[in-house]
Amino acid sequence: MTSKKKYAFLDRDGTLIFEPQDTFQIDSLEKLQVLEGAIQGLIELKNQGYGLVMVTNQDGLGTQSFPAADFEIPHQAMLKQFKDAGIHFERIFICPHTSQDHCACRKPKTGLVDSFLAEHSIDRTASFVCGDRDSDRQLADNIGIEFIPTATNSNFYEALKHAGII
Ligand SMILES: [Mg+2]
Ligand SMILES: [Zn+2]
């Protein structure tokens, strides 16, 4: 008998790091800004036994308008900041497509997490999705778990606290 684990499925841009509202693209180190309450909130989730999973849409990643290296540099710097604070994401799922691509993995579709959900014993009553967009809310609906809203570029810790998660 395996015990079930609770998971926090977390959006990245606008939820954990600042998302510029002109380009919606974090493609340089200069643009990387971990939001207030992000590290504090992630540490609290970890301490409460949540597995951390990142689920993010990155429109056109790997194309000329968003070269992979431009994504990776701030992304890795973000992960380094998290790691230095003792925070580890079990998995990081990225949809690199655009809405025109009609892929199966772009949030709110569940394509990014379907295998993960099938392969892990997940406590669905305690798990949740947290994000700043309707697509995050709909992802939670499509997975069948709770949704914790956070306003774009606001305080992640406060959003969790407000929802009674921590
Ligand atoms: Mg977002
Ligand atoms: Zn996709």
Side-chain angles (χ1 to χ4, degrees):
M1 187 179 143
T2 51
S3 63
K4 292 186 173 185
K5 182 169 175 176
K6 53 189 180 180
Y7 282 92
F9 295 90
L10 305 173
D11 175 44
R12 195 190 80 146
D13 302 355
T15 297
L16 298 176
I17 62 176
F18 183 84
E19 179 184 62
Q21 296 302 289
D22 48 359
T23 60
F24 303 102
Q25 204 162 286
I26 296 122
D27 51 11
S28 70
L29 266 187
E30 291 68 37
K31 289 190 189 171
L32 175 63
Q33 186 191 329
V34 174
L35 290 170
E36 218 171 304
I39 286 176
Q40 192 188 5
L42 291 169
I43 288 172
E44 189 60 35
L45 288 176
K46 177 191 156 188
N47 290 343
Q48 290 196 19
Y50 283 91
L52 303 178
V53 176
M54 193 178 288
V55 189
T56 177
N57 290 344
Q58 296 293 329
D59 293 19
L61 175 60
T63 66
Q64 214 163 23
S65 64
F66 197 2
D70 292 359
F71 168 80
E72 281 298 330
I73 290 166
H75 183 67
Q76 293 303 327
M78 173 198 74
L79 293 178
K80 171 82 165 56
Q81 285 190 42
F82 292 163
K83 190 182 169 203
D84 289 348
I87 299 155
H88 168 73
F89 277 81
E90 272 186 40
R91 295 294 298 272
I92 295 175
F93 294 111
I94 301 169
C95 167
H97 307 108
T98 68
S99 56
Q100 285 83 30
D101 292 329
H102 302 293
C103 65
C105 59
R106 185 181 172 80
K107 287 186 293 185
K109 291 180 182 170
T110 61
L112 287 175
V113 296
D114 281 340
S115 306
F116 184 87
L117 294 172
E119 290 161 10
H120 291 75
S121 188
I122 289 166
D123 180 350
R124 283 174 186 262
T125 56
S127 297
F128 66 88
V129 173
C130 179
D132 65 312
R133 302 278 176 197
D134 265 348
S135 55
D136 298 306
R137 179 184 297 276
Q138 290 163 19
L139 176 70
D141 284 349
N142 292 339
I143 296 174
I145 57 177
E146 188 182 357
F147 177 65
I148 306 300
T150 183
T152 302
N153 298 331
S154 62
N155 189 308
F156 178 67
Y157 182 86
E158 290 301 326
L160 297 175
K161 206 168 123 187
H162 183 77
I165 292 288
I166 58 175

